[in-house]
Amino acid sequence: MKRISLIVAALALGAAAFAQQVQVGVVLPTKDEPRWIQDQTRFQTALQNAGISSEVLFSQGSSATEKTNVESLITKGVKVLVLCPQDGSAAAAAADEARQAGVKVISYDRLIRDTAAVDYYVTFDSVQVGAAWGKYLLSKVPAGKKGNNLFIYTGASSDNNAFLFFQGAWQVLQPKIADGTFIVRNSSRAVALKNKANLTRDEQAGIIGQTTTNWNFSDAKNKAEANLTSTGKSDKGTVFICAPNDGTARAIADAFAADKDVTKYYITGQDAEIASIQYIIDGKQSMTVLKDVRTLVKDAIAAAEDFLYGKTPEQTTTYNNGAINVPAKPTAIVTVTKDNVQKEVIDSGYWPASDFTGL
Ligand code: BGC
């Protein structure tokens, strides 16, 4: 009798262990931004279709939770970890732990910094995202007009992408700040560095420190309002706003729209969030950058499968993470405005037309 129950218990344990086996674990930064819900949804569908057992976890803005998530996936026997770090450098410890457990580490969208324990980086071309903002804003400047008011906002300095986006924007905007086409109204450090094309990471960090939104809507709103309060009427009128993503762009746009001294504004964004596509249709946000998450998820799964079968994922370039050059194959991005929103967002099947009014 005792023996039988022991066998039953052992079988049950075995079944539990089998049920818990996770081949690919995905850890995303937060549920509180639509961007990462997009990734979650698209991952779940694609992993299921690929027949890969998986689990998607959220870190809710906490590097400690992120580490616990990674540890729980290691316990479940995960073979490949897809990690989008909350904080690039803080995530190094979790990546190291995964590496020690023999897990392949794929850095997803955001680069895990300051560790050699990153096997691959799946990403969009983030420098091009920033360059797209710069090009868009520049295209709205009347030919030859100098002294246009420029407001710069950036992402969280704990996110390596904030630097890449800014780098791309600076590449395009800096020569036009240097020649007086734009005057930066909300960053004394950007003004001080206006003649310098290639900024060091510390110089970038200085400007990001002044202009950061922390990827947070209310921080973005508060900073925009504070900037508007300290800017005189003569430096408003038509304004050009380099905003780092859709969530913060809507918050900043609302603040600028509410200022009676702002007669017209152009504002950038990224992620093609549903709410921002509606803002674009309504003329409240000028552009967004569509980063097709379906492609990113596909690339991540292809890389994960390569690792599962002992192969090496395709590489077209590398990104230095402060410790090593991480192999990567960045994905192209698309600028979306009112003019091409139908084609790029609706006709491409990214979002259904029924999500919007006034198309
Ligand atoms: C991502 C953006 C996102 C931002 C805030 C960045 O690392 O690339 O798509 O909007 O983080 O979450």
Side-chain angles (χ1 to χ4, degrees), residues 33 35-36 109-110 159 161 165 215 245 270-271 291:
E33 293 172 33
R35 159 69 215 266
W36 305 114
D109 194 284
R110 298 177 177 172
D159 176 2
N161 281 347
F165 301 144
W215 292 136
N245 75 350
Q270 69 167 310
D271 295 334
K291 305 198 303 187

Side-chain angles (χ1 to χ4, degrees), residues 41-54 301 305:
T41 316
R42 313 237 193 228
F43 256 118
Q44 279 166 342
T45 318
L47 281 163
Q48 236 164 42
N49 290 345
I52 296 174
S53 60
S54 66
I301 293 176
E305 282 181 320

